[in-house]
Amino acid sequence: MGTVARIFREYRLLAAVLVELIVVLVLHFSGHTGAAQLVATVFVGFVILLTVIDMVKQLMRREFGLDILAVVAMTASLAVGEYLAASIIALMLTGGEGLEDYAAARAKRDLRSLLDRAPQRAHRLPAVDAPVDQAENIEIDQVEPGDVLLVRPAEVVPVDGEAIDAGSFDESSLTGESAAVAKAVGDTILSGSVNGTQAVRMRATRSAADSQYQKIITLVRQTEDQQAPIVRVADRYAMPFTAVSLLIAGLAWWFSGDPVRFAEVLVLATPCPLLIAAPVAFLGGMSRASNAGIIVKGGAVLEALGSASTAAFDKTGTLTYGRPTVAAVHAVGVSEDELLAAAAEQFSSHVLALGVIEAADGLELPEARNGREVATEGVEAEVDFVAGAAGLAGEAASAGAGSAVVPVGTLDFVRGMAPEAFEVEFETGQTAAYVSIGNKYAGALILNDQARDNAGQLVSELRRHGFEKVTMLTGDNPHTAQAIAAEVGIDDVHASLLLEDKVRLLHEIEPKPVIMVGDGVNDAPVLAAAGVGIAMGARGNTEASEAADVVITRDDISRVGKAVDIGRWTLAVAKSAIWIGILLSLVLMGFAFFGFIPAVVGALLQEVIDLAAIVYALRALKGPERFKV
């Protein structure tokens, strides 16, 4: 009874058509065929009117509506007295929304599970030493950095923070690793991880909006809102199928001389595989991707992933780990410690930051402000040097009043302020970050950054699965770029690129669409310019995540191969579901052409075709693992 009540409440037109069909069947089988035909004609006519109004609205938006087949079938059936068939078609048409909602909910199950487990509240303690029973329940948006939070057993960590107590956490939803991770006092605790069996206190280091898991949740919600383009695969089949169906029905009428034959054929021209099956397949693919730590922003992106045969990669943080170590310091006019201290704060927003900051550990760092990032070139900020902070007050004074703009990045970038900057020597596979203090060249940091262990295997798998072109687009120097490219198996390398160079090359590269994979830190415009921009978003950069079409929430480049695999499988399933519906309809229309299928039976068989196509479309939820990375 509850299900029936919900149907009547949420799908009123469907409920009304269902009641109408029951009334018509009762009248028909009790011998009151005239009354049955009158009720069916009036009610189905009303459904036809509503559908025509919707079709006119679609045409005004320059969209072709497949409902024209159902409208013609219902009109023809009423015209020849097949009112039972007309009522069944009306039920199919109005039930399509409910059937689509059910199939879509099944397809989005994994996508929704991520949203459903997102914490809404946090338990805030007034002080570190406060008793547990003094914890105050607050909305997650009220959490501020510095707040002391209590995470109870088996609860999801609400925000990023630092452990006050030792504990064990399940980070599988973030990293894919199923083993529990032990956290000592002072360790970072990631939002979205699940606490173990002991209550743990933590200190929030970020607000909810800035925390890793909440950013993933935001992306998933955006994905749910970007579903409109997924019907375009079906649209390609809509007009030809409509034309062929009307042609077969018209020929059946012409050859038989019986207008009933027109209705008998047309009731089998079901549009549901095109209207529902393709969107359900894409929703299933998006859900499967989400479960694998891959946020895909819409079905059109999955389609592009499935049809792409060109891939471009950034180097640092993408093909490499982006966790370099400082191999050498070449200081000019300052000490090595002074150069590190000046550079460390400026590097803090770049993927190479960690190695520099670790090398500067123990040094007293100057204050920095007004930091900005110049995509593909470097970072800079205004640094306040005071006596005793880093021993650079004298150098900064030449730039004015104890402060100076400190750029850190490529040689050309630093030469913009310090023209005398010169290139330093370094080994193959290393890279250099140049530094100036104001307009005075201060030296360079030599950094080691290793290629990812599975990057070469990914490149090999992409080629094995039909990718015609795999290229590297990087702002790094040619020597380092060539060394990393050779290690991972890429022979087409474009190095020393500025932002505009990368965008230009993406427009020039063939064949399209082009997949561009970036580290998600300083290449947002490049990701936006690509056919499919994939951000390795584990570092949580908001701008790049918004610009990208796909965000990989785990720091694992093999997920690029999985994203392509899911895209190809989803596209294949969507097309197969459409063809299953079309071919079954055409075969049965052939039988109806010769009068072997009455209109009422044909209308019922149409529902069977719909279900077959939709059930097949749900195969997108699972698929073979064809990329071995």
Side-chain angles (χ1 to χ4, degrees):
M1 290 297 292
T3 302
V4 174
R6 186 176 63 82
I7 291 175
F8 272 76
R9 185 173 62 253
E10 296 182 12
Y11 305 102
R12 295 178 181 176
L13 184 58
L14 169 61
V17 173
L18 187 60
V19 170
E20 176 266 337
L21 180 59
I22 293 172
V23 170
V24 169
L25 287 172
V26 169
L27 290 173
H28 176 82
F29 288 109
S30 63
H32 300 85
T33 54
Q37 185 169 5
L38 178 63
V39 172
T41 301
V42 171
F43 207 90
V44 174
F46 177 67
V47 173
I48 292 172
L49 178 63
L50 293 179
T51 306
V52 169
I53 292 173
D54 285 340
M55 287 171 54
V56 170
K57 291 179 180 178
Q58 287 179 323
L59 290 173
M60 291 176 66
R61 296 193 301 266
R62 297 184 178 181
E63 298 174 3
F64 180 77
L66 273 168
D67 288 341
I68 188 173
L69 287 174
V71 168
V72 175
M74 287 186 291
T75 303
S77 297
L78 289 176
V80 299
E82 294 286 353
Y83 55 87
L84 284 179
S87 296
I88 294 172
I89 297 170
L91 181 65
M92 176 277 298
L93 186 64
T94 56
E97 181 184 357
L99 188 60
E100 181 177 9
D101 287 348
Y102 171 78
R106 172 70 180 84
K108 292 193 295 183
R109 184 176 59 186
D110 292 331
L111 204 62
R112 290 299 311 174
S113 68
L114 191 65
L115 298 177
D116 293 340
R117 69 187 294 273
Q120 303 298 317
R121 301 176 71 82
H123 316 301
R124 184 169 61 192
L125 291 167
V128 174
D129 56 355
V132 172
D133 58 7
Q134 289 187 11
E136 172 193 10
N137 291 330
I138 60 172
E139 296 297 321
I140 192 171
D141 292 337
Q142 294 178 285
V143 176
E144 296 180 357
D147 285 349
V148 177
L149 305 178
L150 175 70
V151 184
R152 296 193 170 103
E155 281 189 339
V156 178
V157 176
V159 297
D160 294 343
E162 181 181 275
I164 296 174
D165 302 316
S168 177
F169 294 84
D170 176 2
E171 297 181 349
S172 58
S173 64
L174 300 170
T175 65
E177 298 295 333
S178 57
V181 179
K183 298 289 184 180
V185 176
D187 284 354
T188 297
I189 302 177
L190 297 175
S191 58
S193 56
V194 180
N195 189 20
T197 58
Q198 301 293 324
V200 172
R201 292 171 301 164
M202 61 174 283
R203 181 173 281 103
T205 55
R206 291 181 181 176
S207 66
D210 293 331
S211 292
Q212 176 79 359
Y213 191 65
Q214 292 300 324
K215 288 180 178 179
I216 295 173
I217 296 300
T218 299
L219 288 171
V220 172
R221 289 198 175 100
Q222 291 173 354
T223 298
E224 286 203 313
D225 295 336
Q226 296 181 24
Q227 295 168 4
I230 63 181
V231 298
R232 69 181 190 176
V233 172
D235 288 344
R236 298 178 192 138
Y237 300 86
M239 293 188 68
F241 180 66
T242 300
V244 169
S245 299
L246 291 172
L247 177 62
I248 294 173
L251 290 173
W253 182 359
W254 185 63
F255 278 114
S256 66
D258 184 0
V260 175
R261 194 67 56 82
F262 179 84
E264 290 175 344
V265 170
L266 211 57
V267 295
L268 285 160
T270 171
C272 273
L274 300 181
L275 291 171
I276 301 177
V280 165
F282 281 110
L283 286 171
M286 291 159 60
S287 184
R288 180 186 172 198
S290 175
N291 198 40
I294 304 164
I295 307 300
V296 180
K297 298 181 182 179
V301 177
L302 268 181
E303 182 187 357
L305 275 171
S307 57
S309 57
T310 302
F313 291 88
D314 184 27
K315 182 185 74 67
T316 306
T318 304
L319 291 172
T320 67
Y321 284 104
R323 296 192 295 269
T325 56
V326 176
V329 179
H330 292 271
V332 178
V334 296
S335 71
E336 292 184 359
D337 284 353
E338 289 170 341
L339 179 59
L340 276 171
E345 284 296 305
Q346 311 320 306
F347 245 91
S348 60
S349 65
H350 194 276
V351 294
L352 301 177
L354 185 59
V356 180
I357 293 173
E358 287 180 351
D361 186 36
L363 300 178
E364 191 172 351
L365 304 180
E367 294 291 330
R369 63 181 183 275
N370 299 328
R372 74 184 187 98
E373 188 173 287
V374 181
T376 76
E377 294 189 67
V379 294
E380 66 179 22
E382 189 175 346
V383 178
D384 293 329
F385 296 105
V386 295
L392 290 168
E395 303 295 341
S398 64
S403 67
V405 173
V406 177
V408 183
T410 65
L411 182 60
D412 288 340
F413 179 57
V414 171
R415 277 177 173 169
M417 288 194 66
E420 78 277 12
F422 57 86
E423 188 173 7
V424 297
E425 293 183 359
F426 46 86
E427 296 178 7
T428 301
Q430 294 180 330
T431 190
Y434 296 87
V435 185
S436 76
I437 300 171
N439 58 5
K440 184 176 177 59
Y441 179 52
L445 306 174
I446 307 304
L447 303 162
N448 283 324
D449 192 16
Q450 301 299 314
R452 293 178 185 266
D453 292 339
N454 54 358
Q457 190 176 358
L458 171 64
V459 172
S460 176
E461 283 295 294
L462 288 174
R463 289 204 173 97
R464 189 170 72 86
H465 286 276
F467 271 68
E468 299 176 28
K469 190 177 188 66
V470 180
T471 186
M472 176 193 288
L473 307 179
T474 179
D476 210 341
N477 67 84
H479 300 297
T480 302
Q482 289 287 355
I484 296 296
E487 188 174 347
V488 301
I490 295 177
D491 51 20
D492 185 56
V493 180
H494 301 269
S496 298
L497 298 177
L498 299 177
L499 177 64
E500 54 267 30
D501 297 326
K502 290 186 178 182
V503 172
R504 174 180 54 79
L505 285 169
L506 282 175
H507 288 308
E508 293 176 357
I509 292 174
E510 295 288 346
K512 290 181 171 54
V514 179
I515 295 172
M516 176 66 199
V517 188
D519 65 339
V521 173
N522 64 353
D523 46 14
V526 182
L527 296 178
V532 181
I534 301 181
M536 297 283 291
R539 295 180 179 88
N541 182 273
T542 303
E543 184 181 357
S545 297
E546 290 176 352
D549 303 297
V550 178
V551 178
I552 297 176
T553 62
R554 302 168 188 172
D555 194 17
D556 179 6
I557 199 172
S558 71
R559 302 285 161 170
V560 174
K562 190 167 186 66
V564 172
D565 195 16
I566 291 173
R568 289 187 172 184
W569 175 253
T570 302
L571 186 59
V573 168
K575 289 182 176 179
S576 296
I578 291 170
W579 277 110
I580 285 172
I582 289 175
L583 292 176
L584 286 176
S585 294
L586 290 174
V587 168
L588 291 175
M589 278 192 278
F591 283 101
F593 185 96
F594 295 103
F596 297 136
I597 302 178
V600 174
V601 175
L604 292 173
L605 285 174
Q606 184 190 59
E607 297 286 355
V608 175
I609 297 171
D610 296 343
L611 288 173
I614 291 168
V615 168
Y616 187 90
L618 287 172
R619 294 187 69 208
L621 283 166
K622 297 184 181 297
E625 301 288 341
R626 295 172 293 188
F627 275 68
K628 309 300 181 184
V629 184

